Amino acid sequence: MRSVWLGDSRVKIVDILDEAKNAVADRGKNYGNVYINHERIAAQWSITLGTEVTAEQVAMMMVQVKLARLMETPDHMDSWVDIAGYAWTGGKCVQEAPDN
């Protein structure tokens, strides 16, 4: 099993992915279907920004938020876990989009 150094601790890659899987499942219980939820967010952002935003773009933007935070605290494990979760979420949104 591959591991990497993050900050002062050695973390197994599989642990990050397992945590992301659990986080996505927990959020699904609270927020419902991931695609529908991200479509709702996209609709709100589209109004605010004055341009169309897609569900998968919401996931991409959230990855960027997490990357910006990691620039300050690169050893903050929750952000790494969230990036993995948003990667899954973005792929799921692409798969569930009506035109796919």
Side-chain angles (χ1 to χ4, degrees):
M1 184 176 329
R2 185 171 170 215
S3 58
V4 295
W5 284 100
L6 293 174
D8 293 332
S9 61
R10 194 159 183 85
V11 177
K12 292 184 178 13
I13 294 293
V14 72
D15 294 341
I16 293 171
L17 295 177
D18 285 343
E19 285 294 319
K21 180 180 174 184
N22 293 335
V24 169
D26 286 344
R27 285 179 182 88
K29 291 175 191 171
N30 293 318
Y31 308 125
N33 177 279
V34 68
Y35 177 73
I36 292 170
N37 179 255
H38 280 67
E39 276 285 291
R40 290 179 187 140
I41 296 167
Q44 303 254 340
W45 287 8
S46 294
I47 292 167
T48 301
L49 297 171
T51 189
E52 184 181 351
V53 177
T54 65
E56 62 271 14
Q57 287 173 325
V58 170
M60 288 187 280
M61 299 290 277
M62 293 307 298
V63 167
Q64 291 175 341
V65 167
K66 298 301 178 175
L67 288 171
R69 290 178 178 174
L70 283 168
M71 291 175 75
E72 184 68 27
T73 53
D75 59 344
H76 187 71
M77 290 308 303
D78 286 346
S79 291
W80 290 108
V81 169
D82 287 347
I83 287 171
Y86 283 119
W88 178 88
T89 297
K92 184 74 168 164
C93 287
V94 168
Q95 289 175 341
E96 291 192 18
D99 57 344
N100 286 336

